[in-house]
Amino acid sequence: LLQSMLSTQPRRLLAIGAGRGRYLQRRIASSSIQKEPTVESISSSSSSPGSSYGRGAAVALASLSVGFIAGRQSLGEEEKGEERVLPSGLPRTCCEEEELTEKQKALFKNLKRIVGRKNVLDGTVEDTQTASYLKGARLGRGSALYIVKPQKLKQLIEIVKESVEADCVVLVQGQNTGLTGGSVPRRQDDKRPTVLVSMKDLDVIVPIDDGDRVMCLAGVGLATLQNYIRDEFGRESHSTLGSTFLNPTTAAGVSLGSGGTQCRKGPAYTERALYLKVDKDKYGKPIVKVVNALGIKGLDKEEGEFEAHLQHDGVVPLIDSVAERVKGGYDTQVRRSNDTYGKAPAHDTKYKAKLCEHDHHVSRYNADTSGCDCNRSEGKVLILASVHDTFATPKSSKTYWISFENLSTALEFRRQVCLKNPADVPISVEYMDRDSFDVIDRAGRVLGNLIKFVGPSSPTVCYLWNVKLWIEALNFSGSSTLIDKLLYTVNPILPPILPSSIQEAGKQRDHHIAMTVGDYDGSLERAQERIDAFCKKYGAKVKVHQCSEKSDVASLTAFRFVAAPAFRTWCVGEGAQGISVDYALPKNGGQAPALDSVETLKRMRYSHFGCNVVHEDVAFPAGVDAHAVKMQLKKSVEHNCNGKLPAEHGHGTEYHAPPETQARWKSMDPLNVMNPGVGGLSSKFGYKE
C-alpha cells in the first residue's frame, strides 16, 4: 500500500505521515501513551504471533518514517552528511550505456522461458523491487543486466549456460547479507554485463541418517535450519552467526567459511556438496560441469565431476523431484549416506583440538585453501546443495557474563578456563570491549529488545530488516539514513537490553565475555571448577555473573548479535565516519593492534574469543581519510601481530587474496565468468590484465 501511494499520491502520503509523526511526538512528550495499540494480524493463519506483530510494526514503522522525513527535511534538500564515509560503498555499476550484443538482447527471452516472467527482474534500474539485490548490506551498490530467481536446481544449469553463451558474467547471491561487497554487482573492466542469480527460493531441507545430517538446497537460511532441526529432531544445526536473525544462507556460509560463535562445531565447512563450475574445453570454450559429492543413496547414480545435462534420471532433476515432494509434505522416504562420498566429513572434525593449541598460528581465515572446491570459493563455483552434520543438544548448560579488569586477564581466562582441553570446549565464548558495550547500549536497543522478545531465529526480525532496506531504497534525499536516525532518536526511550546487574557490570569494567558451557559427559562441572579456581587466583580482577533466568540468556545473545547494525546507527546518529574490519589473531595472542595518529571516536572490538577472530569497527570524525585508517589497521594486524585478514566475511571487493588463494580460484573458474574481480583478481575474461 505504501509503495503504491508513493508512486501515485506522494504529497498526500507525506501529509498523512507528517501528521502521524507530529501526533506521536506529542503523545511521547506528554507521556500519554498508556498501552500498546492492538495490531491485527495481516499474515496467514499459520504465522506465529510474533510474525503478526512484526508485520503490523512494519506498517507502523513505514508510516512514521515517511512522517519523520517530511517533518525534518524537504525532498529536494541534500543530506549534509552524505560525503562522510559510512559502512557502505558505491563502486561503478554494470550496463551503463553499453551496447548489448544480439545474444545479450535475446537473453531476457531465454531467461523468461527458463524461470517464468515474474522471476526475471530488470537489474539496470534500482527501485523498491530490485534494491535489496543491488545494494549490499554494508558495502557495495551496482546494477545488473538481469536478476533471475530460479525455482528449481535444473534451471540453474540452463541459466548459467545461457548467460555464459551470451558473454555475461554470473554473480550468485543468497540473502545479500555479506559485508565486503562480494555478492553485489559491479562493473567489469571488459564491460561484460552481469546476470545476478538469487538463490532465496531454493530453500528445501532434506533429512539424512535419521536427522544426524541434513541436505540443504542453496537458499536454506540458517535461522530456518535451526528451527527445523530443533523442532523435528531435538538437535542443533551446524552454524550460528551474529547475523542469523537475517537468515543468511547455508551455501553462502560454506562459500565464505563463516561462523565463529560455535566453538564445538567450527565454521561452516563440508566436503559433501553438489555444485556447478564453468570449465573450458580443449578449444578454450566454456563448458558447464556438475560436481556431485553429496554421498546420498539414491542420488548417487552420477558422482564426481561430469558435464551438466538435464536428462530426467540425472542427479539434478532427481533432487528437484525430491525437493518438490518434501515441500509438498508427501515425501516419506528415509535417506542414508552412501559408502563413497557419504564417508566424507560434513563439518570440521579437527576444530576443537585446533583451538586448544595455543601456538602462533591462527584458527581460521578466509584465504585457507584446504578442503574441496566449494569451501571458501567466494562465488567461483555455484553451490546447489550441501550436506551438514547436526549436533546433540547438551543435557544442560550455563551462561555467564564475566567482566575483567584488563584484557590480559581475559586472555588468561581463555587459555586456562575456556580452552583447557578439546573435550571441555564451551559452546560459545564471545568478547566485547567497553566501546562495544557503550555503542550497543546507545544505538542498539530497538533491534536488541526485538530479538530478545521474538528470538534470534524469528522470521519477524528478518521481515522488519527487509522493510528497513525497502525504505532506504525509496527515491528521496536522506532515505538511506532515515531509519538509522529514527532508531538513534528513539533508542533512549527503550529499556536497556541487559538485566540491571549485567548492565552495571558493563559500566564498571572495560572487558567482558559472554560464555555458554554445555554438559557433555561432565564438562559443565569441570568448567565450573576451573572458573572457581581462576577467580580464587585472580581475585578482584575478575567478576562472574551466572545467568539464572532464560530471559538473561536471551538478553546476552541479543546484545552481542546487534553489534554491527548498532555501529552503523551510532555513526549516523553522531554524524561520524566508520570502517569495519575482521581479522584473525594468533591463538597465543589477542592484544589490540596499534592504531597510531588517528583521532578515533569509538573503537569497537568484539570477537569470537575461542578462535580469536576479531570484528573491529572504528568511528572517527568527518575529514579523516577512512581508507588510510583501514590500510593502517590492516598493516598493523599482518605485520605487527602476525594475524590474517579477512577471517570471516570474505575478501569480496575489499581485500586482495594471497597468490595461492587466487590460483585456487582460477583453477575452479579458468575463464573468469563466475564472480569476476573477487579478492583482487582481474575482472576481465580469462583474467587478462
Side-chain angles (χ1 to χ4, degrees), residues 616-634:
E616 183 155 342
D617 298 334
V618 185
F620 37 82
V624 175
D625 187 338
H627 180 72
V629 175
K630 180 172 281 191
M631 290 304 100
Q632 181 182 338
L633 181 56
K634 180 179 183 294

Side-chain angles (χ1 to χ4, degrees), residues 107-118 120 148:
L107 187 57
F108 173 74
K109 180 179 178 181
N110 294 332
L111 294 175
K112 183 175 68 172
R113 169 184 55 80
I114 296 168
V115 299
R117 174 65 185 89
K118 69 177 183 179
V120 183
V148 192

Side-chain angles (χ1 to χ4, degrees), residues 152-171:
K152 296 183 177 181
L153 296 183
K154 66 180 181 181
Q155 293 174 349
L156 283 162
I157 294 177
E158 296 183 89
I159 291 167
V160 173
K161 283 184 174 181
E162 292 290 348
S163 300
V164 173
E165 181 67 22
D167 194 27
C168 293
V169 304
V170 177
L171 179 66

Side-chain angles (χ1 to χ4, degrees), residues 141-374:
R141 192 174 196 167
S143 62
L145 184 59
Y146 297 114
I147 300 166
V148 192
K149 301 185 290 182
Q151 306 299 300
K152 296 183 177 181
L153 296 183
K154 66 180 181 181
Q155 293 174 349
L156 283 162
I157 294 177
E158 296 183 89
I159 291 167
V160 173
K161 283 184 174 181
E162 292 290 348
S163 300
V164 173
E165 181 67 22
D167 194 27
C168 293
V169 304
V170 177
L171 179 66
V172 183
Q173 188 181 91
Q175 286 287 353
N176 195 21
T177 59
L179 300 180
T180 57
S183 61
V184 184
R186 60 269 182 191
R187 185 186 179 95
Q188 310 304 321
D189 289 339
D190 56 6
K191 301 179 182 180
R192 288 179 294 166
T194 298
V195 174
L196 191 155
V197 182
S198 172
M199 309 296 280
K200 290 181 182 180
D201 294 335
L202 300 169
D203 58 352
V204 176
I205 304 169
V206 181
I208 306 168
D209 302 330
D210 299 319
D212 287 351
R213 277 158 283 282
V214 288
M215 179 183 74
C216 300
L217 299 196
V220 170
L222 291 180
T224 302
L225 180 60
Q226 278 187 2
N227 293 336
Y228 173 82
I229 294 299
R230 180 195 63 218
D231 296 343
E232 295 295 324
F233 299 101
R235 293 173 66 84
E236 296 178 351
S237 62
H238 70 288
S239 183
T240 299
L241 306 179
S243 59
T244 292
F245 63 88
L246 299 179
N247 211 23
T249 62
T250 53
V254 173
S255 181
L256 296 174
S258 59
T261 67
Q262 302 296 290
C263 297
R264 302 183 68 86
K265 304 171 186 177
Y269 179 88
T270 185
E271 294 185 18
R272 299 178 61 179
L274 176 75
Y275 54 94
L276 294 183
K277 59 190 300 185
V278 180
D279 206 342
K280 61 180 179 180
D281 62 18
K282 62 182 180 180
Y283 304 107
K285 300 295 183 181
I287 178 172
V288 179
K289 293 184 176 181
V290 173
V291 177
N292 178 17
L294 289 172
I296 302 173
K297 291 180 179 179
L299 300 176
D300 52 359
K301 181 179 178 181
E302 300 174 299
E303 288 192 311
E305 183 176 309
F306 50 90
E307 186 172 347
H309 62 82
L310 295 174
Q311 296 174 14
H312 73 279
D313 61 344
V315 62
V316 175
L318 281 176
I319 292 177
D320 278 334
S321 178
V322 170
E324 186 175 352
R325 294 198 302 272
V326 170
K327 207 164 189 177
Y330 50 88
D331 182 81
T332 58
Q333 183 176 345
V334 178
R335 291 177 175 80
R336 302 288 180 187
S337 297
N338 65 18
D339 293 328
T340 53
Y341 291 96
K343 298 293 186 180
H347 81 282
D348 188 346
T349 56
K350 300 177 181 178
Y351 189 70
K352 290 188 294 183
K354 191 188 304 181
L355 290 185
C356 296
E357 297 168 352
H358 304 282
D359 54 29
H360 64 281
H361 298 293
V362 301
S363 298
R364 61 189 183 91
Y365 61 108
N366 288 128
D368 186 356
T369 58
S370 62
C372 63
D373 282 354
C374 62

